[in-house]
Amino acid sequence: MSYAEIKLMRKKQFLTTNILFSSMMAAYFIFISVVPLTFRVLFLSLGCLFLLQTIYGYIKKSSGSPIPIFKKVEAYEKEKLGKEWDVQKKVDSGINLFLSGFMFFQAFFIMRETTRVNIDYQIMAVLYIVFLLVVNLSLYFHVKKIDGAESGELQGYTKKSNVYGVLFGILLAAVLFLLLIMYVLLS
């Protein structure tokens, strides 16, 4: 692939990712607003979703995305990463399996809880912006690393990126938690 083709592919990837993310968040907010869900049902649904993604990933061995740009990106990255691509897919499946178990665990411990999910639109707007920034920044750094490296340089990439991701996730969770506490105390 030429540099111009890669650049165009990555622009389409960013655009498609942002449109899908924004659409999914909007659908989620609308669904939660219209359908009165309890937290238990929400966690069970998320657990099933993550479990289905894990099973599908093991069966399909690729993303199997119906979106052409993601198929193109997957083929390019699979070629560029080599064996590291398989490691990355296994780690992704492991993370989905962990999240599925965590959601089922949450649902189990709030079995008798009947509290409905309510949306505070101010908090959700802030979370949407933060998550959109996180998605774009992580994709930017991923693209920069993959496109700027030769195939041999990417050995151990999955481990390094996951360590950085976990550290950043812990930091982000702490910051969001503190901001949420301040928001609750000040309102």
Side-chain angles (χ1 to χ4, degrees):
M1 240 184 217
S2 72
Y3 177 75
E5 289 175 319
I6 293 170
K7 194 170 180 175
L8 180 62
M9 176 186 72
R10 292 303 192 180
K11 282 182 182 178
K12 288 180 181 179
Q13 179 187 13
F14 270 91
L15 181 63
T16 306
T17 300
N18 282 303
I19 290 170
L20 283 174
F21 179 78
S22 297
S23 300
M24 294 301 291
M25 290 297 283
Y28 172 74
F29 293 147
I30 291 168
F31 184 76
I32 294 287
S33 298
V34 174
V35 178
L37 291 177
T38 62
F39 281 104
R40 180 168 192 260
V41 172
L42 177 66
F43 289 137
L44 282 172
S45 301
L46 289 172
C48 288
L49 178 69
F50 287 128
L51 185 60
L52 288 173
Q53 280 184 322
T54 303
I55 292 168
Y56 184 75
Y58 277 120
I59 292 170
K60 190 73 172 153
K61 299 288 185 201
S62 71
S63 70
S65 176
I67 301 169
I69 189 63
F70 291 144
K71 286 182 182 179
K72 191 173 183 180
V73 168
E74 180 181 21
Y76 168 73
E77 289 186 0
K78 189 174 186 177
E79 177 186 322
K80 190 90 173 190
L81 286 166
K83 291 180 182 177
E84 195 68 23
W85 187 84
D86 292 325
V87 173
Q88 193 174 32
K89 289 301 159 195
K90 287 177 184 174
V91 168
D92 289 348
S93 292
I95 290 170
N96 276 342
L97 190 60
F98 171 78
L99 288 173
S100 174
F102 183 71
M103 291 299 149
F104 288 136
F105 179 78
Q106 292 268 33
F108 177 76
F109 278 102
I110 58 170
M111 204 175 292
R112 292 187 175 90
E113 184 70 39
T114 58
T115 305
R116 303 267 183 220
V117 177
N118 293 320
I119 294 181
D120 183 336
Y121 290 101
Q122 290 174 326
I123 291 175
M124 288 300 156
V126 169
L127 287 177
Y128 167 75
I129 292 167
V130 168
F131 291 149
L132 189 63
L133 280 171
V134 168
V135 165
N136 280 291
L137 282 174
S138 65
L139 186 57
Y140 171 77
F141 288 121
H142 172 76
V143 164
K144 186 176 176 182
K145 180 68 176 177
I146 299 290
D147 293 350
E150 296 298 319
S151 295
E153 296 174 16
L154 295 169
Q155 197 66 27
Y157 167 72
T158 301
K159 183 179 179 182
K160 288 177 193 173
S161 66
N162 284 327
V163 167
Y164 290 138
V166 167
L167 292 175
F168 180 74
I170 291 169
L171 178 66
L172 181 63
V175 168
L176 287 175
F177 181 74
L178 290 173
L179 289 175
L180 185 62
I181 295 297
M182 288 177 17
Y183 176 79
V184 169
L185 291 176
L186 294 175
S187 56

